[in-house]
């Protein structure tokens, strides 16, 4: 019996790059709505939205990943379960759900580990698998501080 496991990933685009999150971390995908601004020293915190009675912090994933301002119209907000609550990330488009096996995942240097879990090689594509825990580790606290201010 081999030890190859598979997992499903939700793939979305930011500019020309493809990123993914484990399907278990994705709560839902909604149409982009402009977040209400909150004061924050963190440039990738875009604000908050109300969703079904909850306040959800919204993050600009392109800015968080250090991508240049892509100036594309934001298309969707992916609501992500982080373990400390839900956050929304702005993406251009949600493309598909794919299944990858462990042998398609390449490790990344440990310096990137807090934001990137692995690189998935899917045919001729490279999809960057994000680490939802590390990527948004303290963001709930940051937004709570900003909303309280």
């Amino acid at each position: 019996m081999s030890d190859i496991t598979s997992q499903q990933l939700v793939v979305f685009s930011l500019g020309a790059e493809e990123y993914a999150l484990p399907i278990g971390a994705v709560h839902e995908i909604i149409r982009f709505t402009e977040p209400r601004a909150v004061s924050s020293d963190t440039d990738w915190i875009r604000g908050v939205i109300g969703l079904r009675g909850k306040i959800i912090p919204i993050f600009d994933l392109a800015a968080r990943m250090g991508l240049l301002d892509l100036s594309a119209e934001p298309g969707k907000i992916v609501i992500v379960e982080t373990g400390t609550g839900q956050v929304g990330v702005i993406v251009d488009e949600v493309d598909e759900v794919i299944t990858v096996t462990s042998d398609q995942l390449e490790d990344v240097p440990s310096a990137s580990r807090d934001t990137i879990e692995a690189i998935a090689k899917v045919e001729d594509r490279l999809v960057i698998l994000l680490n939802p825990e590390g990527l948004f580790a303290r963001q709930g606290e940051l937004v709570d501080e900003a909303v309280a201010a």
Side-chain angles (χ1 to χ4, degrees):
M1 188 82 193
S2 75
D3 61 352
I4 294 177
T5 58
S6 66
Q7 62 176 315
Q8 288 190 300
L9 307 177
V10 176
V11 179
F12 48 88
S13 55
L14 279 175
E17 299 292 328
E18 286 188 302
Y19 292 88
L21 284 163
I23 200 166
V26 175
H27 183 68
E28 68 181 297
I29 297 157
I30 61 172
R31 222 176 45 243
F32 178 79
T33 43
E34 191 61 47
R36 195 185 118 228
V38 293
S39 63
S40 172
D41 298 334
T42 310
D43 59 356
W44 42 268
I45 294 181
R46 283 286 292 272
V48 295
I49 61 169
L51 183 67
R52 288 189 248 318
K54 286 187 191 160
I55 300 292
I56 309 281
I58 302 299
F59 303 124
D60 185 333
L61 189 57
R64 175 70 175 103
M65 297 306 293
L67 302 175
L68 295 173
D69 180 19
L70 306 169
S71 71
E73 283 297 304
K76 300 274 192 289
I77 295 177
V78 178
I79 305 296
V80 181
E81 201 64 61
T82 66
T84 56
Q86 292 178 344
V87 301
V89 292
I90 299 169
V91 303
D92 292 346
E93 197 54 62
V94 176
D95 300 323
E96 62 185 321
V97 174
I98 60 172
T99 301
V100 295
T101 56
S102 53
D103 62 343
Q104 289 175 287
L105 298 175
E106 286 286 316
D107 277 344
V108 293
S110 56
S112 310
R113 272 275 158 66
D114 58 336
T115 53
I116 299 171
E117 205 161 284
I119 308 288
K121 291 186 291 197
V122 184
E123 290 151 17
D124 59 346
R125 297 158 50 197
L126 293 178
V127 179
I128 299 166
L129 176 57
L130 299 173
N131 173 351
E133 300 297 324
L135 197 58
F136 310 116
R138 282 200 54 245
Q139 284 59 336
E141 297 164 39
L142 291 172
V143 171
D144 289 345
E145 290 165 20
V147 170

